[in-house]
């Protein structure tokens, strides 16, 4: 790819990555708000469905056989799989699969997981299993906007967007490296740092001795529109990068270009 193609693709990927970041943030915000609007002990299911379920324990146990399950309907079957530590707070938890019979009637049911032989003075609240007759009726009960309008969990949207965000910004990084090399071959570089040092403006850019830059070299500097706004004098240089003092009263921003006359 030539310089124009690399720049165009970098711009497109950058915009795509920014859009995905924005959507991921909205999905995360939507999921957090919906959690505040609805208790964690509610599960919304359909007849014939099997869902993964996870819940806290009052105290640590070593084996799932120490746990008991009580349900308000024999058409709810909870199969306990393991006990574990919570991912975020590290509390004692259990996990399993809840199978809902196809013959169950729509309505609200309760499910309790306790420790065998233990009567707690402050038991955990039971799980509320709300069975809906069909998907549209369940969708209308969702508190999240993505669930209500799209029928998709905001957490699923967030997780699905993350690989896209990483891929796009990885692509932007790779194209930026390619663009820098192409610019350096033309004796040009993008300003990546602007600083005030002892009252003077000093910029850093990706041209060095390997490109013909030396201490004292003077380069022209251009803004985003390609208009020359001043000159710079190199004060420090390495093989690939240089720092230079700016000879202009105009404000210099990262992203401006410097050009070495050859």
């Amino acid at each position: 790819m030539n310089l124009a193609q690399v720049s165009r693709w970098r711009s497109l990927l950058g915009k795509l990555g920014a859009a995905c970041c924005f959507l991921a943030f909205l999905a995360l915000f939507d999921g957090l708000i919906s959690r505040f609007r609805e208790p964690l002990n509610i599960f919304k299911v359909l007849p014939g469905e099997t869902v993964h379920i996870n819940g806290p324990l009052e105290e640590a146990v070593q084996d799932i056989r120490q746990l008991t399950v009580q349900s308000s309907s024999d058409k709810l079957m909870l199969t306990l799989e393991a006990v574990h530590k919570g991912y975020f707070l590290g509390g004692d938890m259990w996990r399993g699969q809840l199978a809902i019979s196809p013959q169950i009637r729509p309505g609200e049911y309760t499910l309790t997981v306790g420790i065998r032989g233990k009567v707690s003075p402050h038991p955990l609240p039971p799980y509320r299993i709300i069975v809906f007759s069909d998907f549209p009726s369940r969708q209308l009960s969702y508190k999240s906007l993505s669930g209500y309008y799209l029928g998709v969990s905001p957490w699923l949207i967030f997780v699905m967007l993350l690989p896209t965000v990483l891929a796009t910004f990885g692509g932007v990084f790779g194209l930026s490296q390619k663009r820098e090399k192409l610019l350096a071959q033309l004796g040009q570089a993008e300003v990546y740092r602007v600083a005030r040092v002892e009252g003077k403006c000093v910029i850093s850019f990706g041209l060095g001795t390997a490109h013909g830059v030396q201490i004292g070299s003077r380069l022209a500097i251009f803004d985003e529109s390609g208009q020359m706004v001043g000159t710079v004098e190199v004060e420090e240089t390495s093989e690939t990068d240089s720092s230079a003092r700016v000879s202009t009263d105009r404000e210099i921003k990262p992203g401006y270009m410097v050009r070495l006359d050859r």
Side-chain angles (χ1 to χ4, degrees):
M1 288 191 292
N2 58 34
L3 180 60
Q5 291 172 326
V6 169
S7 298
R8 182 167 60 252
W9 277 106
R10 187 184 73 154
S11 176
L12 290 174
L13 281 181
K15 292 176 181 177
L16 176 60
C20 289
C21 279
F22 180 70
L23 292 176
F25 172 78
L26 289 181
L28 180 62
F29 183 74
D30 188 24
L32 291 174
I33 292 298
S34 67
R35 281 299 187 186
F36 283 110
R37 298 179 61 196
E38 190 168 65
L40 295 175
N41 64 330
I42 290 181
F43 289 87
K44 299 177 179 181
V45 297
L46 298 175
E49 198 172 40
T50 299
V51 296
H52 292 282
I53 185 171
N54 196 54
L57 289 168
E58 296 177 57
E59 61 182 53
V61 298
Q62 300 301 317
D63 195 282
I64 57 173
R65 288 174 293 185
Q66 295 176 254
L67 303 179
T68 61
V69 178
Q70 293 182 338
S71 172
S72 61
S73 172
D74 59 1
K75 292 181 171 54
L76 295 175
M77 178 64 68
L78 176 62
T79 302
L80 296 172
E81 296 178 331
V83 291
H84 65 98
K85 293 291 185 180
Y87 299 113
F88 298 107
L89 300 179
D92 298 296
M93 303 189 73
W94 58 267
R95 67 170 178 264
Q97 291 192 47
L98 178 64
I100 296 89
S101 169
Q103 286 75 43
I104 196 170
R105 296 172 62 90
E108 183 171 329
Y109 303 87
T110 59
L111 182 73
T112 302
V113 176
I115 300 175
R116 192 180 304 277
K118 178 178 177 61
V119 179
S120 173
H122 304 289
L124 295 172
Y127 293 93
R128 296 167 56 193
I129 312 299
I130 303 177
V131 181
F132 291 86
S133 58
D134 51 37
F135 185 84
S137 60
R138 179 173 66 173
Q139 181 175 336
L140 292 176
S141 73
Y142 288 141
K143 301 300 183 182
S144 68
L145 295 177
S146 61
Y148 184 85
Y149 289 105
L150 303 176
V152 180
S153 166
W155 305 110
L156 178 60
I157 295 175
F158 178 76
V159 170
M160 291 178 64
L161 283 171
L162 281 182
T164 305
V165 170
L166 295 175
T168 53
F169 284 111
V172 168
F173 177 78
L175 289 173
S176 295
Q177 297 290 98
K178 176 69 173 178
R179 184 172 181 268
E180 287 181 8
K181 292 180 180 179
L182 292 174
L183 284 170
Q185 292 172 5
L186 299 173
Q188 301 176 36
E190 192 173 89
V191 175
Y192 60 78
R193 187 174 71 91
V194 178
R196 287 282 175 183
V197 180
E198 298 179 354
K200 61 184 180 180
C201 181
V202 176
I203 64 171
S204 299
F205 50 90
L207 288 176
T209 55
H211 312 103
V213 176
Q214 299 176 352
I215 294 178
S217 296
R218 299 186 70 86
L219 294 81
I221 185 166
F222 302 82
D223 62 15
E224 299 97 330
S225 64
Q227 179 181 357
M228 182 175 173
V229 296
T231 60
V232 301
E233 182 177 349
V234 176
E235 296 184 332
E236 295 181 13
T237 186
S238 66
E239 185 177 358
T240 58
D241 295 88
S242 299
S243 296
R245 177 169 48 87
V246 180
S247 300
T248 180
D249 293 331
R250 185 167 171 176
E251 181 185 3
I252 304 301
K253 302 176 183 178
Y256 279 20
M257 301 292 297
V258 294
R259 183 183 302 166
L260 175 66
D261 291 331
R262 293 176 170 174

